[in-house]
Amino acid sequence: MDLEEFNSTPTDRLRPALTACCDVPRWVDAILAKRPYGEVAALTAVADQVLRELDDDEVDRALQAHPRIGDRPQGASAEAAWSRSEQSGVGDDAGRRRELAEGNRQYEDRFGRVFLICATGLSAGQMLSSLQTRLTHDDATEAAVVHEELRKIALLRLSKVVS
């Protein structure tokens, strides 16, 4: 949709599209509350600012909507379609998929949450390398990285909603 349509779409119809970008009600509410936007840059600025202010509980909530790297989400939802597209670099190599699955398991054991990376444009090898590096992070460093990866994904998805 273009910006004019974004500004005029009823809240109850727009909320699911924004939630698909980032499943944090405060973020969605903040974007909706500031409508109408005069330009996409203003929308992006509001979205970005609120994303930077998310607390740990909100980040954890948002992570629940993201599949593991290497999983192929099923269904016709926007989230599933975007995830399949974003993870297209994983490819079909069975060995690489096993490595990612094992890395995901190690990461979840270490940090207690799904490994999140803005995978758009990355190969399976790049994702795996990042996963292995991030396994060496302390909790605070990794929490900051996760927050930044979530921010990048949400803004990328928002740009798909408003094109």
Side-chain angles (χ1 to χ4, degrees):
M1 74 178 63
D2 64 18
L3 187 59
E4 183 177 329
E5 185 180 358
F6 181 87
N7 285 329
S8 64
T9 297
T11 299
D12 63 327
R13 287 194 26 234
L14 190 54
R15 184 175 299 280
L18 292 173
T19 300
C21 296
C22 181
D23 190 1
V24 175
R26 184 172 66 88
W27 181 78
V28 173
D29 292 342
I31 291 171
L32 291 170
K34 300 275 186 173
R35 290 189 306 164
Y37 295 94
E39 55 188 42
V40 173
L43 165 61
T44 302
V46 168
D48 188 33
Q49 181 60 43
V50 178
L51 285 164
R52 290 176 187 278
E53 297 168 355
L54 297 182
D55 64 30
D56 292 342
D57 289 338
E58 290 170 320
V59 170
D60 287 343
R61 177 193 170 106
L63 289 177
Q64 293 175 25
H66 290 270
R68 289 178 181 89
I69 291 296
D71 285 356
R72 290 193 174 140
Q74 302 300 308
S77 70
E79 299 100 310
W82 287 338
S83 185
R84 286 189 298 268
S85 174
E86 292 159 359
Q87 291 194 40
S88 63
V90 170
D92 292 324
D93 180 274
R96 198 54 100 174
R97 284 188 168 281
R98 277 192 301 278
E99 289 177 296
L100 284 168
E102 175 58 22
N104 282 326
R105 188 196 58 72
Q106 291 173 8
Y107 184 93
E108 290 171 20
D109 287 348
R110 167 81 173 82
F111 294 108
R113 64 178 164 250
V114 70
F115 170 70
L116 186 75
I117 187 169
C118 185
T120 300
L122 298 180
S123 69
Q126 290 169 311
M127 290 178 233
L128 186 58
S129 176
S130 181
L131 192 158
Q132 291 166 339
T133 298
R134 287 171 54 188
L135 281 167
T136 68
H137 289 171
D138 60 56
D139 290 348
T141 299
E142 185 55 20
V145 172
V146 169
H147 195 150
E148 177 60 14
E149 293 298 307
L150 177 65
R151 187 187 72 79
K152 291 189 297 189
I153 293 166
L155 292 175
L156 178 66
R157 290 179 174 188
L158 181 61
S159 74
K160 293 174 183 179
V161 171
V162 181
S163 52

